[in-house]
Amino acid sequence: MKRVGLALICLMFAIFAIGVTEEVMWRSFNFMEIVGYQIKTTKSNLSEISEKWFYEYFNQLRGVHVPYDYRIQKAELDRIEVLDEQSVQVNGTIYTSSRNLSVIDNLNLIQSSERYEYDFEIVLVWQNEGHMWEITDAMSPVQYQIQHSVFQDAPKIPYVMKDTDWAYAIQDSNLYVTYDHGETFKEVPNGYEQVCWDAIHSETDEYLDDESYIITPEFTAFIGRNSLAVKLIYSLDQGETWQESNICSSNYKGKAYLSKTDHYCYLTMALDHLMGDDYYGTYRSADFETWESVSMNEAFDENISCVFWLSDEIGYFANANVLYRTTNHGGDYEAVTLPPATSTIEDIGYDPFDLVVEMYQDHDVIYAIASQKEGDYKKDGQLARGLYLSYDGIHFEFVQEI
Amino acid sequence: MNKKKLAFLILWLLLFFLCAYFLYNSYTLLIEYRDRRQGIIQLVCGLCLVISILSVAYLSEKPLSSWKEKAMIVFSDLCLFESILVFFGRYQDTGVLLLIIITAFIVSVLVSFLIIRHFNKADKI
């Protein structure tokens, strides 16, 4: 047993000696950074120089003198691609000696599916003085692509907000219009700040209410706002030139309805908010310079749900399911009540359509679409709406659910 | 000191330092770098060598007569071969590593058989 004891003592001594030696070697290991690495060569081909660098650089990381947070088993060069006069992309596979987070971080490795096997991708920027080549910058291929023109010159395509030929689009806080289903775009100068006021100040989305803008080849208009006034931003030449017209001073940002008739542009908008109700005012202009106020009836000047101008003189204001019709641009109003939705009442026992939300004219027939205030009657998972029509603009009849 | 003894001494020292290297690296890998697989492999290599060294040290004090001593030769060889082969196969998949361990076992039994036969012949003479 004497020799066994002696062997154990020798073993302890050997462990101590190895521990001290390895720690000294590992602590004195000097890792060469990629940036600043120099290669002396008579070659001038970036590809060959980078290959020489690859093997030199990774060979210094092999052996017992290298700590495990840098140590590799071997390095294989996969691909070298010259990107420009100074830059080269180097792709390789690195087999590390151990699996730890430090080695991945220190050598900028990319995890692969294999154990101890990592991808290495880097773009080197070389500079030479005579036969001495030095790496002045190193970056990932993605960083290189971002820095260089590949992406910078790519055309930015604004996101069209509606799938129609004539629509508005928003890109990088700029407002555009398109008249060809997104093929080409025209920018509305200072449009985003003034038109998308809600999106900027209330962090809501950038969708505009359908009633608050008009986009047609003949006339395009948005309602613009700043902290003091409401204005019309419009174009009469398909977005080539834009004008602004001040309408009124109001700092309340409520709902707005924009309409265009043969000679007039009508704007109805919420001017004030009191006790939970919006109070509306209507203006019209023929030349977009002077705006005249259109009188409204007290019966419907709050919480308007739809405005529709059929002609210069005839207009409708909807308040709940009652339409207020004028034939002399606000001189007088007569109330037009939508009839009961008989077939729906037969089905469910009551008339759910109590809020007119849309009106339009098609082949001399006026249509009205009524939705629901409470919104509890659904069909096929969608909120049901009622369609009504009128041939004389006064008497409406229920057509069907839509 | 003759050449044979010197060679044996160098070999013996190498074995010690190799064993120490495995044990210290296993400690570093397990504690500092948290690479459990490599740490355990190196620990196994180190412990195999410790057993092998101690077995040889024990056998060198005893005559090779009983089955116990013969078994210890087998065990010592087994540990030595396991240690070396596992170290060289440390980056292989677990399946390959198992194959290496089985191979080391077969090789060590064969080598031990040859050693024991050699000593038996020497005893008879």
Side-chain angles (χ1 to χ4, degrees):
Chain A
M1 292 303 278
K2 211 171 97 181
R3 289 189 181 178
V4 175
L6 191 68
L8 270 174
I9 291 165
C10 287
L11 197 60
M12 302 280 261
F13 170 75
I15 291 172
F16 177 75
I18 287 285
V20 170
T21 314
E22 285 206 319
E23 286 300 329
V24 169
M25 280 194 305
W26 290 348
R27 280 165 205 272
S28 60
F29 174 73
N30 185 24
F31 176 63
M32 295 278 283
E33 294 287 345
I34 296 175
V35 176
Y37 200 98
Q38 292 182 326
I39 290 212
K40 197 174 182 182
T41 176
T42 52
K43 291 171 184 169
S44 59
N45 186 326
L46 277 184
S47 189
E48 288 176 344
I49 294 163
S50 300
E51 186 178 346
K52 187 173 160 56
W53 165 81
F54 182 84
Y55 288 114
E56 257 187 38
Y57 177 77
F58 282 108
N59 273 340
Q60 61 152 342
L61 303 174
R62 295 173 66 183
V64 290
H65 67 286
V66 182
Y68 279 105
D69 44 1
Y70 291 97
R71 194 189 298 184
I72 65 163
Q73 302 172 51
K74 59 179 177 176
E76 288 172 1
L77 182 65
D78 297 333
R79 190 168 65 95
I80 288 183
E81 186 185 349
V82 179
L83 301 173
D84 57 46
E85 289 167 355
Q86 288 186 307
S87 310
V88 184
Q89 182 174 334
V90 180
N91 288 38
T93 307
I94 310 298
Y95 299 86
T96 61
S97 289
S98 73
R99 216 161 68 152
N100 63 77
L101 292 174
S102 305
V103 73
I104 299 169
D105 200 33
N106 291 337
L107 305 181
N108 293 315
L109 303 176
I110 303 160
Q111 194 100 37
S112 76
S113 56
E114 298 295 322
R115 191 184 281 145
Y116 306 116
E117 186 182 319
Y118 298 89
D119 294 326
F120 177 76
E121 292 178 0
I122 201 158
V123 173
L124 305 172
V125 182
W126 289 98
Q127 206 168 46
N128 73 312
E129 275 183 33
H131 294 315
M132 188 61 80
W133 288 80
E134 184 179 340
I135 298 171
T136 54
D137 199 7
M139 66 195 89
S140 70
V142 175
Q143 283 174 314
Y144 176 84
Q145 285 174 338
I146 292 167
Q147 277 183 22
H148 289 75
S149 56
V150 182
F151 289 136
Q152 283 177 352
D153 294 344
K156 289 179 177 175
I157 301 165
Y159 176 69
V160 181
M161 306 300 272
K162 211 170 181 185
D163 189 21
T164 51
D165 284 345
W166 309 332
Y168 73 97
I170 285 168
Q171 167 81 42
D172 292 340
S173 299
N174 287 315
L175 178 66
Y176 301 88
V177 285
T178 178
Y179 300 94
D180 49 16
H181 211 124
E183 290 289 313
T184 57
F185 293 92
K186 302 276 170 55
E187 188 180 343
V188 183
N190 302 321
Y192 186 80
E193 297 81 4
Q194 300 185 91
V195 177
C196 301
W197 207 93
D198 277 350
I200 297 167
H201 293 88
S202 313
E203 294 182 354
T204 54
D205 60 43
E206 292 167 322
Y207 285 98
L208 302 175
D209 287 332
D210 285 347
E211 313 82 26
S212 71
Y213 66 92
I214 295 171
I215 301 174
T216 60
E218 299 79 31
F219 178 70
T220 303
F222 294 95
I223 297 166
R225 290 185 169 102
N226 57 33
S227 56
L228 296 172
V230 180
K231 61 178 77 172
L232 190 78
I233 302 169
Y234 66 98
S235 171
L236 303 171
D237 52 8
Q238 293 199 27
E240 291 297 330
T241 57
W242 292 86
Q243 282 88 39
E244 290 186 8
S245 169
N246 284 323
I247 302 166
C248 65
S249 55
S250 167
N251 59 3
Y252 178 63
K253 316 295 184 281
K255 242 181 132 108
Y257 300 90
L258 195 60
S259 309
K260 180 76 176 78
T261 57
D262 291 339
H263 302 100
Y264 286 93
C265 177
Y266 280 90
L267 171 65
T268 299
M269 61 186 168
L271 297 173
D272 203 0
H273 185 80
L274 203 66
M275 306 286 282
D277 293 318
D278 277 345
Y279 288 86
Y280 285 80
T282 298
Y283 300 85
R284 74 169 187 172
S285 175
D287 56 7
F288 304 112
E289 285 180 9
T290 52
W291 291 82
E292 60 179 298
S293 177
V294 175
S295 66
M296 293 172 71
N297 193 316
E298 279 183 10
F300 65 86
D301 68 351
E302 59 187 77
N303 299 331
I304 290 171
S305 59
C306 176
V307 178
F308 171 62
W309 286 91
L310 185 62
S311 65
D312 289 346
E313 303 298 319
I314 304 171
Y316 294 84
F317 292 85
N319 187 312
N321 64 341
V322 182
L323 300 171
Y324 292 89
R325 180 175 187 259
T326 177
T327 52
N328 49 7
H329 66 273
D332 302 294
Y333 288 95
E334 63 174 313
V336 177
T337 308
L338 292 181
T342 43
S343 57
T344 305
I345 293 169
E346 281 171 17
D347 286 345
I348 62 172
Y350 68 98
D351 187 354
F353 309 121
D354 52 5
L355 187 73
V356 178
V357 290
E358 191 180 337
M359 289 184 75
Y360 60 93
Q361 187 184 32
D362 188 19
H363 294 92
D364 294 331
V365 181
I366 298 167
Y367 293 90
I369 295 172
S371 187
Q372 305 168 51
K373 275 184 192 168
E374 301 298 327
D376 53 1
Y377 174 50
K378 291 183 179 176
K379 228 173 179 185
D380 302 326
Q382 298 263 330
L383 191 69
R385 300 194 299 172
L387 179 69
Y388 302 79
L389 68 77
S390 172
Y391 296 101
D392 57 7
I394 301 168
H395 302 94
F396 281 82
E397 58 187 81
F398 179 69
V399 182
Q400 62 181 42
E401 289 176 13
I402 55 171
Chain B
M1 193 182 281
N2 60 26
K3 278 183 183 176
K4 210 173 176 182
K5 275 193 171 176
L6 186 70
F8 183 75
L9 188 70
I10 291 168
L11 196 72
W12 194 241
L13 277 172
L14 272 175
L15 215 58
F16 269 102
F17 281 108
L18 193 64
C19 176
Y21 173 81
F22 288 153
L23 289 177
Y24 188 75
N25 275 10
S26 74
Y27 159 78
T28 313
L29 285 164
L30 283 171
I31 305 299
E32 198 174 333
Y33 295 104
R34 310 214 173 263
D35 184 352
R36 214 166 53 176
R37 183 186 160 88
Q38 279 302 307
I40 288 171
I41 285 174
Q42 299 233 10
L43 184 67
V44 167
C45 292
L47 290 177
C48 281
L49 277 187
V50 169
I51 294 164
S52 189
I53 286 167
L54 295 181
S55 303
V56 173
Y58 177 76
L59 285 172
S60 65
E61 288 178 330
K62 301 267 178 181
L64 196 68
S65 53
S66 70
W67 64 270
K68 270 188 190 174
E69 278 78 41
K70 288 172 185 172
M72 276 195 87
I73 287 182
V74 178
F75 190 54
S76 173
D77 281 346
L78 178 66
C79 287
L80 184 68
F81 281 107
E82 289 295 5
S83 174
I84 291 164
L85 288 183
V86 166
F87 181 72
F88 283 111
R90 68 191 187 280
Y91 295 122
Q92 304 298 326
D93 290 335
T94 310
V96 179
L97 210 57
L98 277 172
L99 200 69
I100 287 168
I101 290 168
I102 294 164
T103 310
F105 177 76
I106 294 165
V107 169
S108 65
V109 170
L110 283 173
V111 170
S112 303
F113 175 74
L114 289 172
I115 292 169
I116 291 163
R117 210 172 71 155
H118 172 77
F119 280 115
N120 281 346
K121 269 185 184 176
D123 285 349
K124 276 177 190 173
I125 291 165

